[in-house]
Amino acid sequence: MRTLLLPLLALLLIATPGYATDFNGVDLTGFADFYTSAPQTRSEGPGFQFGQVELDLEAPLAPGISFEAAIAFDPAAQTFGVGAFLIDFDIFESDESHSRQSAGIDHTGIVVGQFDVPFGLDWHVYPSIDRNLVTIPLVVERTHTMWNDFGIMAYTEHDFFNVVGFVVNGFPYESGWNANGDFLGYHGVGYDPEEASVSVREHTCQVALGGRAGFSFGLPVELGSSAAFFFDQDRSVDMTLNAFDVQTGWGFLGFKGEYLIHTIGHNQPASHTHQGWYGQLTAELNRYYLTGRFGVFSPDDTSLDNEQALSLGAGWRFEENIIFRCEQRYELDSMTGPTFLQVAVGF
């Protein structure tokens, strides 16, 4: 409990009006959210808990070089750990005050350390303070689950396009095998991991490389494409992840969508490809907003039905850094689902 209370006490003190957030050039910011999930049956009780709690530090190390770190709360373990730890080498920038200017390029740099991997579209709103709904898209939850990793990435930003490439550790996957050495399936599908006759193997990744490119051509719409290749210990591609995304806006309306394809087991007896997509429409109404998201996840197993989820939500920006949200999520096969109420604060 002490590991939870002390950082929270520091967060409350820092968030108090008038409390300094600049310590000898080190900027201290952060965010947190608290939510409850309304019970779906009478036997269930409402659950109150923290979603994300994060303290962020940023400091300049030298001209064009900065350091960032994040101390993040892990709700499952009820402890704090490192959520990010990186050094950003700012190579080129269009700002006239920058020592290395590049005409037409807004920002170019290299990042080393631990960071949210810039894959697809949803990574822009991993922090709960930035997300309009309480939950994450279904297909993101079923594939890379908000990919955070160690490695290096290089990026460049322009009015018409943005490109980023990365080399990181990657993440593993599991497969099941029977006593005769026959392949059964992946991630508990096609076998019971608790059965004594089943052998569960973890396939590790030695390195993963990939990137994303987005193009707007000066228009109020951006089209993006992402790809990631996961290499095993034999330096062969054993898993791939691909995404295509779009985001645009018309006045007070905004839309974004993403389609993901995840293939595992390229070097196993059988590969497994599952895929899915989501689309989200948001209407901004001054300090309020209404939003809806529909998502589909299709597993590569004929015995399993496609999963479909609909989320309807609303938000109230009480202050710029204080947001109240509600979300009703429906699993469309049963038309039931939880109701979430959340407050998110940033400082």
Side-chain angles (χ1 to χ4, degrees):
M1 181 64 71
R2 183 180 302 173
T3 58
L4 173 62
L5 291 179
L6 291 179
L8 285 180
L9 180 59
L11 185 151
L12 291 174
L13 289 174
I14 294 167
T16 302
Y19 197 91
T21 57
D22 189 321
F23 303 93
N24 295 324
V26 178
D27 291 329
L28 180 58
T29 60
F31 63 90
D33 74 85
F34 185 76
Y35 73 95
T36 180
S37 175
Q40 300 180 52
T41 65
R42 293 184 178 181
S43 61
E44 297 178 357
F48 295 93
Q49 58 185 305
F50 288 105
Q52 297 179 350
V53 182
E54 184 173 301
L55 302 175
D56 301 314
L57 299 92
E58 182 176 358
L61 300 179
I65 304 176
S66 62
F67 162 80
E68 298 179 28
I71 303 172
F73 175 59
D74 182 353
Q78 291 290 296
T79 59
F80 277 80
V82 178
F85 190 96
L86 59 91
I87 301 174
D88 189 344
F89 297 88
D90 191 0
I91 300 176
F92 298 110
E93 192 167 346
S94 59
D95 187 354
E96 294 181 358
S97 63
H98 199 277
S99 59
R100 293 177 294 275
Q101 299 180 43
S102 177
I105 299 298
D106 295 332
H107 199 186
T108 298
I110 297 174
V111 172
V112 297
Q114 179 185 357
F115 47 82
D116 292 333
V117 178
F119 182 90
L121 194 61
D122 194 62
W123 75 277
H124 290 288
V125 292
Y126 284 173
S128 58
I129 191 67
D130 298 328
R131 190 179 293 279
N132 283 339
L133 287 167
V134 179
T135 62
I136 66 175
L138 177 64
V139 66
V140 173
E141 180 183 347
R142 296 289 190 267
T143 53
H144 58 82
T145 317
M146 301 195 301
W147 190 5
N148 181 278
D149 214 334
F150 298 85
I152 181 172
M153 69 174 175
Y155 61 90
T156 185
E157 299 173 358
H158 187 276
D159 288 341
F160 292 174
F161 65 87
N162 56 84
V163 179
V164 60
F166 55 82
V167 180
V168 296
N169 289 339
F171 52 86
Y173 67 91
E174 293 182 350
S175 63
W177 306 73
N178 65 17
N180 297 324
D182 298 324
F183 171 77
L184 299 175
Y186 299 105
H187 293 300
V189 178
Y191 64 94
D192 183 357
E194 301 299 325
E195 288 188 8
S197 61
V198 174
S199 174
V200 178
R201 303 178 187 176
E202 184 174 275
H203 304 268
T204 59
C205 175
Q206 293 297 307
V207 66
L209 61 88
R212 179 188 180 275
F215 301 91
S216 63
F217 305 105
L219 301 175
V221 59
E222 180 181 286
L223 301 176
S225 178
S226 305
F229 303 89
F230 298 74
F231 294 82
D232 60 17
Q233 61 272 16
D234 297 324
R235 299 182 180 179
S236 297
V237 176
D238 195 28
M239 179 167 59
T240 57
L241 193 60
N242 297 276
F244 305 93
D245 61 74
V246 58
Q247 54 184 334
T248 186
W250 310 277
F252 68 96
L253 291 177
F255 174 81
K256 64 179 180 179
E258 189 173 1
Y259 178 75
L260 283 86
I261 305 170
H262 186 199
T263 301
I264 56 180
H266 285 286
N267 293 332
Q268 304 307 315
S271 63
H272 174 93
T273 298
H274 45 265
Q275 55 195 312
W277 60 271
Y278 70 88
Q280 182 171 339
L281 181 66
T282 302
E284 296 284 350
L285 308 170
N286 199 1
R287 295 168 59 184
Y288 303 89
Y289 66 83
L290 300 174
T291 186
R293 183 181 67 211
F294 179 72
V296 176
F297 176 74
S298 302
D300 185 15
D301 191 311
T302 56
S303 65
L304 300 176
D305 295 330
N306 291 348
E307 298 180 56
Q308 299 180 344
L310 173 66
S311 290
L312 301 176
W316 172 35
R317 295 184 177 90
F318 178 74
E319 295 289 348
E320 183 179 356
N321 60 337
I322 303 175
I323 305 173
F324 293 91
R325 302 190 184 105
C326 64
E327 175 185 346
Q328 175 63 56
R329 179 160 176 163
Y330 297 98
E331 307 299 332
L332 294 191
D333 56 344
S334 60
M335 285 306 296
T336 61
T339 302
F340 297 96
L341 299 176
Q342 181 193 58
V343 56
V345 299
F347 62 90

